[in-house]
Structures are given as C-alpha cells and as structure tokens.
Amino acid sequence: MSNEKQVDSGRRGLLVATCAAGGVAGLATTGVLVSTFQPSERAKAAGAPVEVDISSLTPGEIKTVEWRGNPVWIMKRTPEQVAALGKSDGELADPESARTQFSTTPEYAMNEWRSRQKDLLVVVGICPHLGCSPTAKLQTGAQPSLPDDWHGGFLCPCHGSTFDLAGRVYKNKPSPDNLQVPPYMFEGDTKLVIGKDEKGEA
C-alpha cells in the first residue's frame, strides 16, 4: 500500500512539473508573438515613420527627433524669421532647391521657405558635406565665423558651411547641397508624421 502511494505521489509530482514547464513555454511563445507585432529596431533604423506632437512648439523654438538614426529639426519660425528668408537669396548656392545630385526636395518644399507652411521648418540636421551636425545660430548680426549681416540660420562647426533659416546653403561653402527635407505630412493640426507623405513611406 505504501508503495502505491509513493508511485502516485511521484506521478503527481511529474505531472505538476510538466504542466509548469508547459505554462512557461506557452508564456514565452506568447511574448515572442506579441513582440513580432511591434516595430523592430531594424525597422526603425530603416526609416519607419515617426509621429511628433508639435502642439507645444513656440515661435523661435526647435524640437529635435530621430528618424533613420539622424536628427530631424522641427522649427517654428517667428514672423520676423520668415520675412528674413528672402533677404539672402542672392547669397545662396541653391535658393530654389533645384540641385538633385545628392538629394531631392519634396515638391511641397520647393518654395522660399522650403516647407508646407511658412512658419514650420522640417529638415534633417546633418550637413551634406561630411555628415557633421550644424548648430543653430538664430541670433542676427555679426558673430564669430558668421557675416556681419547674418539673418539667422545654422553653422556647421566642422568646416564652416552656413545655412539660412530654410536650411539653404550659402555660396562658396564646403556643403554641396541644402539640408535635406525629409518626406513628411500633417495628421490634424498638431501631429507631424516624418518619413511619410501622400506618396507613401520613404
């Protein structure tokens, strides 16, 4: 009788252990399945669209987000900054963003302010020369490494390329192109989607 009890308890222990192992395996499998529905790091690096809330962006402020491993600047220009855009056209290498050797500008950014709307700048914050990240120089007037009649813009600290407040490069600078405008679109009044427009994902 005691032998039968020992066998039954042994089988019971084996059954409990088997069920526990099966439960753990089931949870692990569920975790794998759930994770496959989330964007992978590879998908993000490949350029999965990025949604940005711009409702709190104030005039003169720049917000930086990451897309394809690069910084994307979203700047809300002041009325004064928008008005200054036309003052430097004669000093710019490609004021109409017509160059296509290194990148193309979306059709909706083929204008003086290089944007869907005058007050909002959206550009990749990487200098096309050798990949450095320019710094914002929004203050106007004479400053080190900048002309005396500086209207505000961006300066690449590596080799001195300068860009206006629309990301257009000045003449006789190392950068061969303007700052890149990524594909983007609005979803409502306060959400920006970078990496996607009416033509689809980049």
Side-chain angles (χ1 to χ4, degrees), residues 50-54 57 61-67 70-77 82 85 97 103-126 154 164-168 178-187 190-197:
V50 177
E51 294 184 357
V52 187
D53 181 0
I54 58 171
L57 203 60
E61 182 184 1
I62 299 175
K63 186 172 191 172
T64 303
V65 298
E66 185 180 339
W67 175 66
N70 292 320
V72 173
W73 298 335
I74 304 165
M75 178 181 182
K76 189 173 181 66
R77 291 176 285 216
V82 172
L85 291 177
S97 298
S103 66
T104 56
T105 300
E107 188 176 334
Y108 43 81
M110 298 284 285
N111 48 50
E112 187 172 70
W113 50 89
R114 296 186 78 221
S115 185
R116 286 183 178 270
Q117 60 186 51
K118 292 182 180 182
D119 65 339
L120 198 70
L121 174 68
V122 182
V123 290
V124 176
I126 295 293
F154 308 94
D164 75 347
L165 286 168
R168 300 176 296 180
N178 297 330
L179 297 179
Q180 178 190 356
V181 176
Y184 72 94
M185 61 190 294
F186 291 98
E187 283 191 357
T190 61
K191 185 191 291 185
L192 198 64
V193 181
I194 298 168
K196 178 182 179 181
D197 57 18

Side-chain angles (χ1 to χ4, degrees), residues 12-13 32 35 40 77 84 87-88 95 101 104 113 125 135 140 147 155 160 174 177 183 190 195 197 202:
R12 188 178 298 114
V32 170
S35 68
S40 67
R77 291 176 285 216
K87 296 179 180 178
S88 304
Q101 182 179 357
T104 56
W113 50 89
T135 55
T140 59
L155 168 67
D177 203 358
T190 61
D197 57 18

Side-chain angles (χ1 to χ4, degrees), residues 155-167:
L155 168 67
C156 182
C158 294
H159 303 97
S161 291
T162 47
F163 305 86
D164 75 347
L165 286 168

